[in-house]
Amino acid sequence: MKEDYRTALAKSLQEIPGGSFEIQCQNDLSAASPLPVKQITQTTGKGRIKSILVYPGIAISFHQYLAEEISFHHPPADHVLEIDHCRIGRVGWNMADGAAVYLGSGDLCLHSLASCAESRMTLPLGYYEGISVTMDLHLLAKECPQIPKEAGFRAEAIYQKLGGAAQPFGIPAGPKSDALFSVLYDLPPSLRLPYCKLKAQEILLYLCQMDPKQEQGLSQYVSRQTELIRDVRNFLVEHLDQRFTIEELSRKYLINTSTLKSVFKAVYGQPIASYVKECRIQQAMKLLRETQDSIAEIARKVGYETQGKFTKAFKESVQVLPTEYRRWCQKESI
């Protein structure tokens, strides 16, 4: 059975105590750093942030989080632009002015540090790995890497192009974002800084030619909608032994069906039925590992009418029968 992303991240972060974050800086983050003094005011999990000052005014940070949500506080700075790239997991922010943006694998988000100064980051799947590129447009106006400078990079023009960096702007996954970021994740330490320098210049060139009006932006939602969807999700997960129609959920939470379906998929990355099925299988795996309940009893607890339907769904998802999975777990624990 293939190791899932959450398990791999848990192994990577196993030495970090719960409720804390490890923050590392590969080189001197001096006055030329665009990174704010960031305080993590609340977290339900743990994580690691590794930052590199690439050029004066440009820093690249690598993030690994295992948490449900994290609250950040830092000084607002509308002249500091952050570009976030999601590699695995999902991540969302409730930012200033009630805007909410969610990213899935490969998606990008551009926003100023004014819009996320008092933000709450939510991780709908409980894990996240990604990169953020932080750039101080004031510093870059004075000193810019040579190649973007030759291409006509002007910090003020970028600021205006993004609407004064006032509102977050999400860009769906695609070949451009993959080419910009994917190579950075698994580099040996000796190559990380040179590659970050190369990619920082590519990102500045990308900003030069990007036209937000021509981009197919990610949908934005208001924070109250995403909070309501989290309530819907929590209700469904707490009642996996029961089944509910979209119409029943719509009436219960006073939200129309189309909005319920679209916002749920934006937050959790899957249609409601697919997400709940995955939760049922995950809970069944937990019960198979930790209890001696019969297969029929576990099937009932996770919302399947018959043992046969449960066994079929489990085999499709996990690639082994429930009985085989239980034997494998018992063998591993010896």
Side-chain angles (χ1 to χ4, degrees):
M1 285 172 288
K2 185 178 179 180
E3 182 177 66
D4 61 42
Y5 290 125
R6 186 184 183 110
T7 301
L9 270 182
K11 287 183 178 179
S12 177
L13 301 174
Q14 62 185 346
E15 296 180 2
I16 299 175
S20 64
F21 271 63
E22 178 181 280
I23 300 177
Q24 303 175 5
C25 301
Q26 181 170 318
N27 51 7
D28 180 25
L29 294 178
S30 61
S33 171
L35 292 171
V37 178
K38 184 178 287 188
Q39 292 181 321
I40 297 170
T41 57
Q42 181 183 7
T43 180
T44 56
K46 57 185 177 178
R48 177 183 292 120
I49 303 173
K50 295 181 179 180
S51 298
I52 303 173
L53 180 63
V54 182
Y55 292 107
I58 305 177
I60 294 182
S61 302
F62 298 80
H63 304 262
Q64 290 182 313
Y65 301 155
L66 196 63
E68 299 296 330
E69 65 177 49
I70 309 157
S71 294
F72 289 104
H73 166 76
H74 56 73
D78 70 348
H79 64 282
V80 179
L81 177 67
E82 184 166 283
I83 304 174
D84 295 286
H85 176 262
C86 174
R87 185 193 195 189
I88 60 172
R90 292 190 69 78
V91 62
W93 294 266
N94 289 338
M95 296 191 183
D97 301 322
V101 179
Y102 281 79
L103 305 182
S105 179
D107 295 340
L108 298 179
C109 181
L110 290 73
H111 61 90
S112 76
L113 292 191
S115 63
C116 65
E118 297 285 350
S119 65
R120 186 178 66 178
M121 177 185 287
T122 59
L123 283 66
L125 305 183
Y127 61 88
Y128 168 70
E129 182 175 13
I131 286 174
S132 62
V133 181
T134 310
M135 51 187 69
D136 187 322
L137 297 178
H138 285 177
L139 288 174
L140 287 173
K142 299 175 183 176
E143 184 177 353
C144 178
Q146 187 61 33
I147 293 176
K149 186 176 181 180
E150 291 174 0
F153 177 88
R154 292 195 308 116
E156 182 179 349
I158 299 301
Y159 184 81
Q160 295 302 325
K161 181 191 290 189
L162 296 172
Q167 286 293 322
F169 180 66
I171 301 174
K176 288 183 181 179
S177 62
D178 185 62
L180 284 171
F181 290 95
S182 61
V183 72
L184 292 174
Y185 284 98
D186 299 311
L187 291 169
S190 61
L191 292 180
R192 183 164 285 177
L193 180 56
Y195 261 101
C196 283
K197 287 185 174 183
L198 176 65
K199 288 298 178 179
Q201 295 193 67
E202 283 190 40
I203 290 166
L204 293 181
L205 293 174
Y206 168 73
L207 292 176
C208 283
Q209 59 84 38
M210 185 192 75
D211 183 356
K213 295 178 182 178
Q214 300 299 319
E215 295 280 355
Q216 179 67 41
L218 291 169
S219 298
Q220 290 189 24
Y221 301 93
V222 294
S223 299
R224 67 176 181 274
Q225 286 180 321
T226 59
E227 290 299 317
L228 183 62
I229 291 303
R230 292 180 71 195
D231 290 343
V232 173
R233 177 265 178 195
N234 291 341
F235 172 78
L236 290 170
V237 170
E238 290 167 5
H239 298 86
L240 290 176
D241 60 328
Q242 302 175 49
R243 291 183 178 262
F244 304 92
T245 66
I246 297 294
E247 289 72 21
E248 287 172 331
L249 295 171
S250 177
R251 289 193 296 270
K252 178 178 176 63
Y253 288 94
L254 303 178
I255 181 173
N256 70 60
T257 56
S258 61
T259 301
L260 171 60
K261 290 188 287 188
S262 64
V263 181
F264 192 99
K265 187 172 182 180
V267 173
Y268 291 99
Q270 295 176 285
I272 295 174
S274 300
Y275 182 86
V276 173
K277 180 181 178 182
E278 193 170 289
C279 290
R280 287 193 165 104
I281 297 301
Q282 290 294 323
Q283 178 64 11
M285 292 169 74
K286 184 175 187 292
L287 293 172
L288 287 165
R289 290 194 305 268
E290 299 178 4
T291 75
Q292 295 302 314
D293 292 349
S294 68
I295 305 300
E297 179 66 11
I298 290 174
R300 186 191 63 77
K301 287 183 177 180
V302 296
Y304 284 90
E305 297 174 355
T306 68
Q307 181 175 331
K309 288 182 178 180
F310 165 68
T311 298
K312 181 181 178 182
F314 191 94
K315 177 72 181 293
E316 288 175 352
S317 178
V318 189
Q319 282 78 59
V320 295
L321 294 169
T323 50
E324 293 171 335
Y325 178 77
R326 174 171 269 171
R327 282 197 296 270
W328 180 82
C329 291
Q330 290 171 344
K331 187 182 298 183
E332 286 292 304
S333 64
I334 295 176

